[in-house]
Each structure stands twice: as C-alpha cells, then as structure tokens.
Amino acid sequence: MLEELGSKSIISLGNIGRFGRFVWQVMVASSRSCFRVSTYPLVWAQIHAIGVRSVPVIMITGAFVGMTLAIQAYDQLAGMGLEEHLGALINVSVVKELGPVLAAVMLAGRIGGALTAELGTMNVTEQIDAVRSMGTDPVKYLVVPRVLACLLLTPILIIYADLLGILGGYFVSVVQLEINSSAYWNFSASGVELWDVSVGVVKGIFFGGAIATISCYKGFTCREGAHGVGQACTEAFVSSFISILALNFAVDVVAKGIYNTFWTVKSLV
Amino acid sequence: MAEENKENIESNNKGNGDIVTLKNLTKRFGDYVVLDEISLGIEKGKTTVVIGPSGCGKTVLIKHLLVLLRPSGGEVYFKGQRIDNLPEQELNKVRMQYGFLFQGGALFDSLSVVGNVTFPIVQHYEITDWKKVEELVASKLAMVGLDGFQNYYPANLSGGQRKRVALARAIALSPEVILYDEPTTGLDPIRSDIINELILKLQRELGVTTVVVTHDMTSAYKIADRIIMLHHGKIIADGDADHIRNHPHPIVQQFINGQVGEDDLAVLRASGTLTQSQFLPRDFKE
Ligand SMILES: Nc1ncnc2c1ncn2[C@@H]1O[C@H](COP(=O)(O)OP(=O)(O)O)[C@@H](O)[C@H]1O
Ligand SMILES: [Mg+2]
C-alpha cells in the first residue's frame, strides 16, 4: 500500500521532471527560432491550419457568453434599479474573464486535440524518430512552429471572442431587454478600460503557450496503438483545461497587484 | 554456453575494420531486459544482417547504432568516437552520416515525395540552387526506380513504393552507413526481392556499410556477408550464411527452418482437441 503510493509518486515526479525539461527545450528552441527566417513558413502553415478554421467556433462561443451574461445580470441589476449599468458588467466580464477562458477551453479542444492526435500518430508511426534519424531536432521542427503559432493566434482569437461577446450582450440587452442603446455604450465605455482588454490578451498568450506545449508533449509521449493516441488526446485536454484555469487565476492575482499599485480600484456601478 | 562465449569473443576481436562498435550494450525498459550485454562490431563496407523472432529486440538494437535510444549500460562507438553519451546537438552531426529505413517507411504524411526526399537536404544546407536539388532528388528517386513520382503523396503510394521513397530519403545525404529495419516485411515475394536487389545495388555502387534487421531468411541469405541471431537479448549465432545454415544450436535451426519449438507445441497440445462445441453455430444470434 505504502510502497505502491511511493512508486506512484516517484513515477509522477519523473513525469513532472520530463515535462519541465520539455518546456525548457521548447522555450530555448522557440526563442532561437523566432529570429530565423526559415521557421516563418512553418509557423505560417500552422497558423493557416489551426487558426483560420477556429474563427467561427470562437465567435459562436463569444456570442453565447455575452448573451448569457446579459440575461443573468439583468434581473440582479434591475432589482437595484441599475439596469442601465448592464453594459459595464457584461463587457468587463467578457473581456477580462469569460471571453479568454472559454475561448481558450474551446481552443484546447479544437487545436489541442488536433495537435496531440497529429504528433501522437507521427510518434507511433516512427515519423518523429525519422526526424531525429536525419539529424534534425524534432522540437525545433515540429513543436516550435506549433507553439509560436498558438502564441500568436490565441490572443487574436480571444479578441474575436470578445467582439462577439460584446455584440451578443448588446443584442440581448438593447433589443430584447430594451435598455437604452446609448446608455449601454456609455456605461460600457466608462467601465471597460484598456487595462482590462490588455489583461485578457495577455492571458491569451499564456493560454496559447500552455495549450500548445501540453498538447505537443502528450503527442510526443503517447503510447502505441489507436488506444494510446486517444488516451493522449484526452489527457492533453484535461491537463490544458486545468492549466487554463490555474493560469487564469495566477494572471488575475498578478494583474490585480499591479493595478492596485498604480491606480485606485474603481467600482463597476 | 562455451559456443556462445567463443562467438562473442570472435566478434569482439574483429576490431580494426569496424565502423560501428557496440560494447556490452544493455537496454532495459523498466525491469524488462531487452538487450543483455551485447558486444558487436559492424565491419565497414559489408552487409551485416541481424535475425531473430518478432519482439526479440531487433528494432531496439538497430536504433542504438545511431543512438535514437540511449543505452541503459555499455557503450556505442562510431568511427572510434564514443557517441552514446553525446548531447543531442552533436549526435545530430553523427546521425547525418547514417541513413535509416524505418519499418513502416515513416514518410511524412503531410509532405509529397519531393518534400520527403528533400527534407534532410533542406534541414542541413542553405539552398541557393533549387535546380540542383531537383536533379539530386530525381537521381535518388531513379536509384530506387521511382523517378516521376515526385508529386505523389505517401497516402497514394503502395507499401513497397513507400519503402522505396523512404529509402531514397535515407540516402539523400549520401550516408556511409545504411540501416534497414525489416525492409521486406509486409511485401509480397517479388517486391521483397526488388528491395533485396536495391540493398545489394546500393552497397555495390555506393560502397556503404549496411545493417539489416529482418526475420525473412530468404532475404538474409541473399544479402548478408554476416548473419547474427538474437535470442533473449544475447547473440547466439554469428557467421556467414553457411555457418548459420549448419549451426548446431536448436533455436537457430528452428528459426531458420520456421519450425515451432517442442515447448510451444506442448502448450498447444495441452489445450486439448477442438470440438464442435467450441465454435458458435453458423446461424448464431444473440
Ligand atoms: N519504448 C519502449 N518502451 C517499452 N518497451 C519497449 C519499447 N520499445 C520496445 N519495447 C519492448 O522491447 C521488445 C523488443 O521490441 P522490438 O525491438 O521492437 O522488437 P522487434 O525485434 O520485433 O523489432 C518488445 O518486447 C517491446 O515491447
Ligand atoms: Mg521491429
């Protein structure tokens, strides 16, 4: 019993160590490749493959987040007679928290799953060994372009989600709940600062990096057979999801610290 | 036992003409020992064939020759330089002198035939003259009889063609050592023989050192200068084709003649005779 616990924790410590080393290799190789022209076509190909087709699902995610928030918040604010402030509440939540997090979860499913399955299949069919056998670093050739593409793409896709979230919120508030349109925009404009948008976008960079690194790692270490690839995809999604939530919390704590040192906290309503 | 030791000492002492040398190579996965203190010298310019049943560790062995797997114990030398402890970056320079044909070909699905064959070239050289690269690719593809297939994708090629494209990719950088992992497995006899002829042709024309891992004895007899048999992580036979044909070891004889061992037969017999009741009737439904 105790022995089993011990050996399990040794195994998981070993896994953490291997993942740490992988992250380190990816960071070193990425920062080197950033300035090498030969990686740009590879990054571009990845952006094309994973980014473009993610736009619709990301926009749908954003729109529903905005619309749901409007429905939810309306009653509470209306109870206090503050329904005109709805714009500020919706848009701060969308831009800073729910937009980035839900968009990233969507991407973890869409991009992360595809990355793990692709690299996992390459691993099982010895294509990754083939890259190494020809004297090329598979991290540099396969992982770095995907990670760089995700670092660039996720913030941009989050902005798309934000825009649609704002529009969705506007649609429900103004068209359905009949809040005055100019009041909605005025309170939104005074409620949402550049700071909030920046925090959301910075989160996107972290989320993108986490999704790509975890998914590539799971693909690289996937076990043989169709079952192995499937399991790797599941693990990649679960780990990405948890790290998105954890990173979101961490960025919020740091951002709040920074904000409080430079500006005074302002009430939403 | 005495036979085994004598042969190991023989292979150790061939020494000087060796391009790749394994010294007491051991590989474990967890507690499972796949290779057990193997010592072996691969002679330059010759064809060495490693035989053994599926799962005996042939792929694991051949991957150690260019350190795609790191040994659990022992050493690997290439041209007298110890390579098993080099960092990946330096290993990459060593690996450029090897060509590796993987069991399933391991072509990159997302790249066309040209993309695959140019891959190692693009990775290691600044290309200024694409015309020259195209000529080079055409000549490598001609060597394996597939010039004209440049714009095909791996998905549209047959198993044998895929292996030949993979071979063209393996020789793209004009390696000194070519490693083949089960090159004829999964091919019909005619296509197997095409691959055998290709292996011989490359060895004759390019003067490369060849290591082939296989369980296809027809192929082994045809191409080998020297045959080595692996069993339970050890070398149990080592010599030319005649030496292997007449080898006294019963396991070697069983393997080269494709016979089941007495112990395996005993297991089958012990399971009893099949009766009609062990099969579902033809009209069986849940
Ligand atoms: N990466 C690995 N992890 C664990 N076991 C492995 C690994 N690679 C190979 N093995 C085990 O080593 C043994 C030899 O495998 P292999 O060299 O592929 O056999 P073959 O002679 O058919 O090529 C097998 O039992 C296999 O399960
Ligand atoms: Mg094998």
Side-chain angles (χ1 to χ4, degrees):
Chain A
M1 178 61 191
L2 209 62
E3 210 172 291
E4 196 179 316
L5 201 71
S7 69
K8 272 205 181 127
S9 43
I10 287 175
I11 290 172
S12 53
L13 269 182
N15 285 340
I16 292 171
R18 270 189 287 279
F19 180 65
R21 198 172 62 188
F22 182 79
V23 172
W24 174 247
Q25 283 173 351
V26 171
M27 289 201 302
V28 171
S30 299
S31 47
R32 282 207 193 119
S33 303
C34 265
F35 305 103
R36 212 174 294 131
V37 187
S38 62
T39 43
Y40 297 164
L42 293 175
V43 176
W44 181 246
Q46 287 305 322
I47 289 183
H48 206 76
I50 56 189
V52 176
R53 273 178 295 159
S54 300
V55 173
V57 285
I58 283 298
M59 286 166 68
I60 292 171
T61 311
F64 276 108
V65 170
M67 296 195 305
T68 312
L69 271 177
I71 301 261
Q72 279 298 317
Y74 178 79
D75 289 340
Q76 324 231 320
L77 290 179
M80 297 181 277
L82 293 170
E83 64 270 27
E84 300 220 311
H85 291 76
L86 198 53
L89 189 72
I90 294 171
N91 291 329
V92 168
S93 314
V94 165
V95 164
K96 226 174 141 183
E97 296 292 334
L98 288 172
V101 169
L102 288 177
V105 169
M106 191 74 217
L107 291 178
R110 227 201 79 81
I111 300 181
L115 287 186
T116 309
E118 189 187 4
L119 293 182
T121 308
M122 289 188 77
N123 187 16
V124 171
T125 56
E126 296 185 305
Q127 291 178 51
I128 293 180
D129 268 343
V131 172
R132 295 171 65 215
S133 80
M134 288 181 275
T136 298
D137 178 8
V139 169
K140 191 179 99 185
Y141 179 71
L142 293 170
V143 180
V144 166
R146 286 166 173 79
V147 169
L148 288 181
C150 280
L151 283 178
L152 284 173
L153 271 174
T154 317
I156 294 172
L157 288 171
I158 281 177
I159 292 174
Y160 272 100
D162 288 351
L163 285 177
L164 263 284
I166 292 167
L167 283 181
Y170 173 83
F171 175 78
V172 171
S173 313
V174 175
V175 179
Q176 279 203 302
L177 303 171
E178 296 176 341
I179 288 169
N180 183 299
S181 170
S182 62
Y184 180 88
W185 287 127
N186 283 340
F187 281 109
S188 297
S190 64
V192 181
E193 297 173 40
L194 184 60
W195 172 254
D196 301 317
V197 181
S198 317
V199 170
V201 171
V202 167
K203 281 178 180 177
I205 296 173
F206 280 99
F207 295 164
I211 293 170
T213 318
I214 291 172
S215 306
C216 289
Y217 177 74
K218 287 290 178 191
F220 264 51
T221 54
C222 125
R223 273 194 295 279
E224 284 196 19
H227 180 68
V229 177
Q231 200 185 356
C233 289
T234 312
E235 286 172 11
F237 180 73
V238 172
S239 317
S240 302
F241 193 1
I242 291 176
S243 45
I244 287 167
L245 295 179
L247 281 171
N248 186 51
F249 178 71
V251 173
D252 275 343
V253 169
V254 174
K256 187 169 147 59
I258 296 175
Y259 192 90
N260 290 352
T261 21
F262 293 105
W263 296 279
T264 51
V265 185
K266 182 180 57 154
S267 157
L268 265 188
V269 287
Chain B
M1 203 59 209
E3 177 78 24
E4 207 176 289
N5 282 340
K6 202 180 89 217
E7 278 185 335
N8 271 339
I9 290 162
E10 259 172 29
S11 57
N12 279 343
N13 287 349
K14 276 175 195 163
N16 24 22
D18 293 347
I19 186 162
V20 189
T21 314
L22 305 178
K23 272 195 191 147
N24 301 324
L25 180 76
T26 299
K27 182 64 180 179
R28 274 180 238 103
F29 291 108
D31 291 334
Y32 179 47
V33 181
V34 180
L35 301 177
D36 189 4
E37 304 240 330
I38 290 208
S39 293
L40 174 66
I42 308 286
E43 205 179 337
K44 193 168 158 59
K46 290 279 162 47
T47 301
T48 307
V49 176
V50 180
I51 58 171
S54 295
C56 74
K58 303 186 297 294
T59 302
V60 171
L61 176 73
I62 204 172
K63 281 186 178 170
H64 275 92
L65 299 183
L66 68 170
V67 201
L68 284 180
L69 289 169
R70 301 261 179 188
S72 316
E75 294 142 34
V76 183
Y77 293 85
F78 177 71
K79 291 185 177 168
Q81 182 199 6
R82 186 169 175 189
I83 57 170
D84 61 277
N85 53 2
L86 290 181
E88 285 287 313
Q89 218 150 14
E90 280 171 56
L91 266 178
N92 283 338
K93 282 179 218 132
V94 177
R95 287 181 184 141
M96 283 169 67
Q97 302 173 60
Y98 282 92
F100 197 123
L101 179 65
F102 287 84
Q103 192 164 344
L107 291 178
F108 303 130
D109 305 310
S110 54
L111 300 179
S112 64
V113 168
V114 199
N116 269 285
V117 181
T118 42
F119 178 86
I121 306 170
V122 175
Q123 290 298 312
H124 296 293
Y125 298 99
E126 287 292 333
I127 291 170
T128 45
D129 188 359
W130 274 99
K131 198 120 207 108
K132 259 197 190 134
V133 176
E134 271 169 35
E135 278 166 21
L136 183 71
V137 169
S139 78
K140 300 284 175 187
L141 282 174
M143 260 186 230
V144 298
L146 284 176
D147 192 11
F149 283 77
Q150 269 85 338
N151 295 319
Y152 280 62
Y153 276 83
N156 304 326
L157 297 173
S158 73
Q161 288 172 329
R162 250 178 258 166
K163 283 202 177 167
R164 277 143 72 193
V165 173
L167 183 50
R169 182 179 70 180
I171 58 175
L173 293 179
S174 308
E176 290 180 54
V177 183
I178 308 183
L179 311 174
Y180 301 81
D181 191 1
E182 308 209 4
T184 58
T185 303
L187 301 182
D188 64 52
I190 305 289
R191 293 200 167 71
S192 297
D193 207 44
I194 295 178
I195 299 279
N196 289 336
E197 290 295 340
L198 265 174
I199 294 173
L200 287 171
K201 178 178 153 188
L202 289 175
Q203 206 248 341
R204 256 193 328 262
E205 291 177 8
L206 308 177
V208 292
T209 308
T210 309
V211 180
V212 181
V213 148
T214 190
H215 54 228
D216 172 358
M217 286 314 296
T218 321
S219 166
Y221 288 144
K222 180 159 186 176
I223 58 183
D225 292 313
R226 175 185 179 197
I227 300 179
I228 287 158
M229 176 151 177
L230 274 187
H231 181 67
H232 287 326
K234 295 242 185 233
I235 295 177
I236 58 165
D238 180 356
D240 60 12
D242 282 332
H243 177 84
I244 297 293
R245 267 196 205 98
N246 303 320
H247 203 282
H249 202 305
I251 305 253
V252 177
Q253 283 304 321
Q254 276 168 23
F255 182 78
I256 63 178
N257 296 319
Q259 285 167 336
V260 192
E262 264 311 308
D263 41 347
D264 289 323
L265 275 180
V267 173
L268 286 180
R269 281 197 206 98
S271 68
T273 45
L274 297 174
T275 58
Q276 203 57 43
S277 63
Q278 280 169 293
F279 296 97
L280 292 172
R282 269 175 214 284
D283 54 354
F284 174 81
K285 289 207 181 68
E286 280 272 8

